[in-house]
Amino acid sequence: MKRVKEIIAEYPGFHVQIDGHTDNVGKPASNLKLSQKRSDAVAAYLVSKHKVDKKRLSGKGWGDTQPVADNKTKEGQAQNRRVDFTVTK
């Protein structure tokens, strides 16, 4: 997270969307809420611990709609429980 904060500081004209994701275990509606909470928690951490301006951050929960690995394995599920960062001007 420290490195993310440093990158945000290096590029003051950019906005960062924090994308929360889950595996496919559980109900889709619950996963969507969980992924949003995950992205919100990362944003709150960056604001409170690293003093990032909250206006430069937004959060988006994607639930299990964008897997990067196969949800049929425990390893794949673990990879799908993640947070990504999307940077825009």
Side-chain angles (χ1 to χ4, degrees):
M1 295 300 256
K2 182 180 176 188
R3 183 64 186 129
V4 170
K5 174 243 171 213
E6 291 169 354
I7 292 169
I8 292 170
E10 285 179 41
Y11 300 96
F14 288 85
H15 178 84
V16 178
Q17 179 173 296
I18 302 164
D19 301 311
H21 302 275
T22 65
D23 58 28
N24 68 345
V25 176
K27 295 180 180 179
S30 296
N31 284 338
L32 192 59
K33 287 179 185 176
L34 174 61
S35 64
Q36 184 65 53
K37 287 181 180 181
R38 187 169 283 156
S39 67
D40 291 344
V42 170
Y45 179 85
L46 287 168
V47 170
S48 68
K49 298 293 183 188
H50 294 291
K51 308 302 181 216
V52 173
D53 182 354
K54 66 181 177 182
K55 290 183 254 174
R56 297 197 49 214
L57 304 173
S58 61
K60 172 79 173 156
W62 295 96
D64 62 1
T65 63
Q66 297 182 348
V68 293
D70 190 345
N71 274 309
K72 294 178 183 175
T73 67
K74 293 290 182 192
E75 294 81 12
Q77 290 170 347
Q79 290 177 36
N80 289 327
R81 293 186 299 266
R82 69 191 193 282
V83 173
D84 294 328
F85 297 90
T86 303
V87 179
T88 58
K89 276 194 166 184

